[in-house]
Amino acid sequence: MCSLVRLLFLGVLPLLLFFNSVYSQGTGIPPNESRTLGKLLPNVKLVDSYGNTFDIYELKGKPIILSPIYTHCNSACPIITDSLKKVIPKLGKPGEDFWVISFSFDPKDRIEDIRKFQQDHLIDGFGWKVVIAKDKEDLFRLVDAIDFRFMTLENRDFVHPNLLVVISPDMRVKRYIYGVVFDYRDLKRALEGESFLEKARPYLFFVGLIGFASTSLYILLKIFKKVK
Amino acid sequence: MDRAERGAFITAVAFMGFFFALIVYAAKGLNIDVPTCITDVKPFTQGQVIQHAPDRYEIHYLAKMWYFEPADVELPVGSTVDIYLTSGDVIHGFKIDGTNVNLMAIPGTVAYARVKFDKPGVYHIVCHEYCGIGHQNMATKIIVKGGEQQ
Ligand SMILES: [Cu+2]
């Protein structure tokens, strides 16, 4: 009985958690986080729904909640935006404590489209901006920086992963939050200072490597001793 | 333990370590992309080339007995291409010669890989999964044209 419980905890539970975390990423091609986390964003030019062009680095100093969407979406993106609208008042005031950017990745979206999206969703457009990239080059630089990939369907629809990206005040990719509805605690944790694991991330690989090398060496020596 | 035995053992472990290091290098140093299979999307029924930007493309390849749709595609050098692949009938293969794109076209799913064409030339695409009597003729190509020579 005891061994069965242990098997459940040591074997099945981590496996379930693993599958759960894999599946919660939803549709489309998930980003390769190991390639983007901790990397500096490029200083791309964006245009907001009032037609103002600005560099994303002008927002430096406050964290950014970046929400990739497209305006003609009638499945996930409105749900993402509505969920953000419920969650954000619990976190603070956009524009003062942090920025929120709903970023349209549809290469065909124009200012009219994002203005309509902003008005339909009752977004203020200042602290929480609805933006498109200034040109195609800026669009794909930003999309690549967060490794966001989409597949074009008919009628201006896309298959894309559902996620938020939290950008740190110094413009680095900090964390991905997956899903269409969000828990404010997840976002709060992502906006706050770096956790120990995040700081240690660049070294984790080497720690693992050293651990792997030393355990295999240890096992080898043990075998040699036994066989003698 | 015998000396020769011990030697063989150490050589085997050293090789293992060497190949492990190569895998790590491939994943970290060369930024290898793993092909993805999208299973929760209704596959497209038409092949097409979609251009998003001067150097950004999406190609939706539909594999059928015994051809690929779209047929020959022309791209400028330096293009980054998202390749989506599905099948209209049976399982087909999809290999772009000279790149590391190597996919399977499975009915009901969409396979995905990203490739950047840095060198001009003709990239042949073959079906490398036996799919019937016309399998050996199932091929197409991507022609990558150099910017300067044109
Ligand atoms: Cu075939």
mmCIF file of all heavy atoms in Angstrom, chain B residues 63-68 89-93 127-132 134-135 138, ligand 1:
data_model
loop_
_atom_site.group_PDB
_atom_site.id
_atom_site.type_symbol
_atom_site.label_atom_id
_atom_site.label_comp_id
_atom_site.label_asym_id
_atom_site.label_seq_id
_atom_site.Cartn_x
_atom_site.Cartn_y
_atom_site.Cartn_z
ATOM 1 N N ALA B 63 -0.142 17.964 -49.218
ATOM 2 C CA ALA B 63 0.406 16.790 -49.886
ATOM 3 C C ALA B 63 -0.739 15.881 -50.309
ATOM 4 O O ALA B 63 -1.643 15.606 -49.516
ATOM 5 C CB ALA B 63 1.353 16.049 -48.943
ATOM 6 N N LYS B 64 -0.688 15.465 -51.574
ATOM 7 C CA LYS B 64 -1.743 14.576 -52.088
ATOM 8 C C LYS B 64 -1.093 13.562 -53.007
ATOM 9 O O LYS B 64 -0.012 13.800 -53.530
ATOM 10 C CB LYS B 64 -2.766 15.396 -52.875
ATOM 11 C CG LYS B 64 -3.879 15.971 -52.023
ATOM 12 C CD LYS B 64 -4.988 16.472 -52.902
ATOM 13 C CE LYS B 64 -6.273 16.592 -52.126
ATOM 14 N NZ LYS B 64 -7.308 17.277 -52.899
ATOM 15 N N MET B 65 -1.786 12.457 -53.252
ATOM 16 C CA MET B 65 -1.263 11.484 -54.212
ATOM 17 C C MET B 65 -1.299 12.114 -55.601
ATOM 18 O O MET B 65 -2.388 12.363 -56.109
ATOM 19 C CB MET B 65 -2.113 10.228 -54.235
ATOM 20 C CG MET B 65 -2.055 9.406 -52.986
ATOM 21 S SD MET B 65 -3.190 8.055 -53.266
ATOM 22 C CE MET B 65 -3.340 7.369 -51.691
ATOM 23 N N TRP B 66 -0.246 12.406 -56.301
ATOM 24 C CA TRP B 66 1.116 12.348 -55.885
ATOM 25 C C TRP B 66 1.783 13.651 -56.249
ATOM 26 O O TRP B 66 2.566 13.719 -57.168
ATOM 27 C CB TRP B 66 1.817 11.152 -56.554
ATOM 28 C CG TRP B 66 1.288 9.845 -56.041
ATOM 29 C CD1 TRP B 66 1.645 9.244 -54.875
ATOM 30 C CD2 TRP B 66 0.325 8.996 -56.621
ATOM 31 N NE1 TRP B 66 0.956 8.072 -54.687
ATOM 32 C CE2 TRP B 66 0.134 7.887 -55.758
ATOM 33 C CE3 TRP B 66 -0.453 9.043 -57.794
ATOM 34 C CZ2 TRP B 66 -0.773 6.850 -56.024
ATOM 35 C CZ3 TRP B 66 -1.343 8.015 -58.047
ATOM 36 C CH2 TRP B 66 -1.487 6.932 -57.170
ATOM 37 N N TYR B 67 1.396 14.674 -55.564
ATOM 38 C CA TYR B 67 1.958 16.005 -55.810
ATOM 39 C C TYR B 67 1.856 16.859 -54.546
ATOM 40 O O TYR B 67 1.148 16.494 -53.599
ATOM 41 C CB TYR B 67 1.225 16.695 -56.970
ATOM 42 C CG TYR B 67 -0.245 16.919 -56.738
ATOM 43 C CD1 TYR B 67 -0.705 18.123 -56.174
ATOM 44 C CD2 TYR B 67 -1.187 15.936 -57.037
ATOM 45 C CE1 TYR B 67 -2.047 18.325 -55.945
ATOM 46 C CE2 TYR B 67 -2.524 16.141 -56.806
ATOM 47 C CZ TYR B 67 -2.955 17.324 -56.252
ATOM 48 O OH TYR B 67 -4.290 17.517 -56.009
ATOM 49 N N PHE B 68 2.598 17.960 -54.566
ATOM 50 C CA PHE B 68 2.470 18.933 -53.488
ATOM 51 C C PHE B 68 1.797 20.181 -54.038
ATOM 52 O O PHE B 68 2.041 20.593 -55.165
ATOM 53 C CB PHE B 68 3.856 19.334 -52.943
ATOM 54 C CG PHE B 68 4.529 18.255 -52.161
ATOM 55 C CD1 PHE B 68 5.582 17.540 -52.715
ATOM 56 C CD2 PHE B 68 4.125 17.960 -50.873
ATOM 57 C CE1 PHE B 68 6.213 16.555 -51.992
ATOM 58 C CE2 PHE B 68 4.758 16.971 -50.152
ATOM 59 C CZ PHE B 68 5.804 16.258 -50.713
ATOM 60 N N ASP B 89 -4.836 13.004 -48.218
ATOM 61 C CA ASP B 89 -5.249 11.600 -48.276
ATOM 62 C C ASP B 89 -4.460 10.715 -47.308
ATOM 63 O O ASP B 89 -4.855 10.564 -46.167
ATOM 64 C CB ASP B 89 -5.175 11.080 -49.723
ATOM 65 C CG ASP B 89 -3.983 11.643 -50.480
ATOM 66 O OD1 ASP B 89 -2.878 11.582 -49.920
ATOM 67 O OD2 ASP B 89 -4.156 12.121 -51.610
ATOM 68 N N VAL B 90 -3.335 10.165 -47.767
ATOM 69 C CA VAL B 90 -2.583 9.237 -46.910
ATOM 70 C C VAL B 90 -1.376 9.951 -46.311
ATOM 71 O O VAL B 90 -1.171 11.135 -46.539
ATOM 72 C CB VAL B 90 -2.124 8.006 -47.708
ATOM 73 C CG1 VAL B 90 -3.306 7.256 -48.264
ATOM 74 C CG2 VAL B 90 -1.164 8.408 -48.818
ATOM 75 N N ILE B 91 -0.587 9.224 -45.559
ATOM 76 C CA ILE B 91 0.615 9.814 -44.965
ATOM 77 C C ILE B 91 1.679 10.011 -46.043
ATOM 78 O O ILE B 91 1.953 9.113 -46.820
ATOM 79 C CB ILE B 91 1.150 8.912 -43.832
ATOM 80 C CG1 ILE B 91 0.175 8.933 -42.657
ATOM 81 C CG2 ILE B 91 2.527 9.370 -43.382
ATOM 82 C CD1 ILE B 91 0.596 8.069 -41.501
ATOM 83 N N HIS B 92 2.215 11.230 -46.092
ATOM 84 C CA HIS B 92 3.322 11.530 -46.995
ATOM 85 C C HIS B 92 4.496 12.046 -46.189
ATOM 86 O O HIS B 92 4.358 12.433 -45.035
ATOM 87 C CB HIS B 92 2.927 12.614 -48.008
ATOM 88 C CG HIS B 92 1.826 12.202 -48.935
ATOM 89 N ND1 HIS B 92 2.062 11.497 -50.074
ATOM 90 C CD2 HIS B 92 0.491 12.404 -48.880
ATOM 91 C CE1 HIS B 92 0.905 11.280 -50.694
ATOM 92 N NE2 HIS B 92 -0.065 11.817 -49.986
ATOM 93 N N GLY B 93 5.656 12.071 -46.847
ATOM 94 C CA GLY B 93 6.841 12.662 -46.229
ATOM 95 C C GLY B 93 7.117 14.008 -46.857
ATOM 96 O O GLY B 93 6.549 14.367 -47.893
ATOM 97 N N CYS B 127 8.870 13.680 -51.374
ATOM 98 C CA CYS B 127 8.085 12.863 -50.451
ATOM 99 C C CYS B 127 8.936 11.646 -50.133
ATOM 100 O O CYS B 127 9.334 10.912 -51.027
ATOM 101 C CB CYS B 127 6.778 12.437 -51.107
ATOM 102 S SG CYS B 127 5.900 11.190 -50.155
ATOM 103 N N HIS B 128 9.260 11.474 -48.865
ATOM 104 C CA HIS B 128 10.143 10.351 -48.520
ATOM 105 C C HIS B 128 9.434 9.335 -47.629
ATOM 106 O O HIS B 128 10.008 8.743 -46.742
ATOM 107 C CB HIS B 128 11.444 10.843 -47.890
ATOM 108 C CG HIS B 128 11.247 11.632 -46.619
ATOM 109 N ND1 HIS B 128 10.031 11.802 -46.044
ATOM 110 C CD2 HIS B 128 12.123 12.290 -45.836
ATOM 111 C CE1 HIS B 128 10.161 12.520 -44.948
ATOM 112 N NE2 HIS B 128 11.418 12.838 -44.803
ATOM 113 N N GLU B 129 8.126 9.194 -47.907
ATOM 114 C CA GLU B 129 7.358 8.185 -47.176
ATOM 115 C C GLU B 129 6.526 7.480 -48.233
ATOM 116 O O GLU B 129 5.714 8.140 -48.899
ATOM 117 C CB GLU B 129 6.480 8.888 -46.138
ATOM 118 C CG GLU B 129 5.733 7.969 -45.216
ATOM 119 C CD GLU B 129 6.655 7.330 -44.198
ATOM 120 O OE1 GLU B 129 7.537 8.016 -43.662
ATOM 121 O OE2 GLU B 129 6.477 6.125 -43.959
ATOM 122 N N TYR B 130 6.732 6.189 -48.402
ATOM 123 C CA TYR B 130 6.062 5.503 -49.512
ATOM 124 C C TYR B 130 4.554 5.698 -49.424
ATOM 125 O O TYR B 130 3.933 5.402 -48.400
ATOM 126 C CB TYR B 130 6.396 4.009 -49.525
ATOM 127 C CG TYR B 130 5.749 3.339 -50.701
ATOM 128 C CD1 TYR B 130 6.216 3.595 -51.990
ATOM 129 C CD2 TYR B 130 4.651 2.512 -50.543
ATOM 130 C CE1 TYR B 130 5.594 3.023 -53.087
ATOM 131 C CE2 TYR B 130 4.037 1.935 -51.629
ATOM 132 C CZ TYR B 130 4.515 2.194 -52.903
ATOM 133 O OH TYR B 130 3.895 1.648 -53.989
ATOM 134 N N CYS B 131 3.965 6.208 -50.532
ATOM 135 C CA CYS B 131 2.552 6.594 -50.468
ATOM 136 C C CYS B 131 1.757 6.058 -51.641
ATOM 137 O O CYS B 131 0.673 6.542 -51.931
ATOM 138 C CB CYS B 131 2.436 8.112 -50.403
ATOM 139 S SG CYS B 131 3.245 8.945 -51.763
ATOM 140 N N GLY B 132 2.299 5.106 -52.376
ATOM 141 C CA GLY B 132 1.511 4.525 -53.453
ATOM 142 C C GLY B 132 2.295 4.477 -54.752
ATOM 143 O O GLY B 132 3.479 4.776 -54.795
ATOM 144 N N GLY B 134 2.557 6.235 -57.376
ATOM 145 C CA GLY B 134 3.231 7.384 -57.983
ATOM 146 C C GLY B 134 4.227 8.053 -57.054
ATOM 147 O O GLY B 134 4.658 9.181 -57.295
ATOM 148 N N HIS B 135 4.590 7.384 -56.000
ATOM 149 C CA HIS B 135 5.428 7.973 -54.954
ATOM 150 C C HIS B 135 6.730 8.558 -55.494
ATOM 151 O O HIS B 135 7.144 9.636 -55.083
ATOM 152 C CB HIS B 135 5.711 6.908 -53.892
ATOM 153 C CG HIS B 135 6.783 7.275 -52.929
ATOM 154 N ND1 HIS B 135 6.644 8.331 -52.053
ATOM 155 C CD2 HIS B 135 8.010 6.754 -52.708
ATOM 156 C CE1 HIS B 135 7.741 8.420 -51.328
ATOM 157 N NE2 HIS B 135 8.580 7.489 -51.704
ATOM 158 N N MET B 138 6.689 12.151 -56.702
ATOM 159 C CA MET B 138 6.104 13.172 -55.833
ATOM 160 C C MET B 138 7.206 14.092 -55.331
ATOM 161 O O MET B 138 7.934 13.764 -54.399
ATOM 162 C CB MET B 138 5.395 12.493 -54.663
ATOM 163 C CG MET B 138 4.568 13.466 -53.877
ATOM 164 S SD MET B 138 3.421 12.621 -52.829
ATOM 165 C CE MET B 138 2.957 13.955 -51.754
HETATM 166 CU CU CU C 1 3.810 11.000 -50.997
#
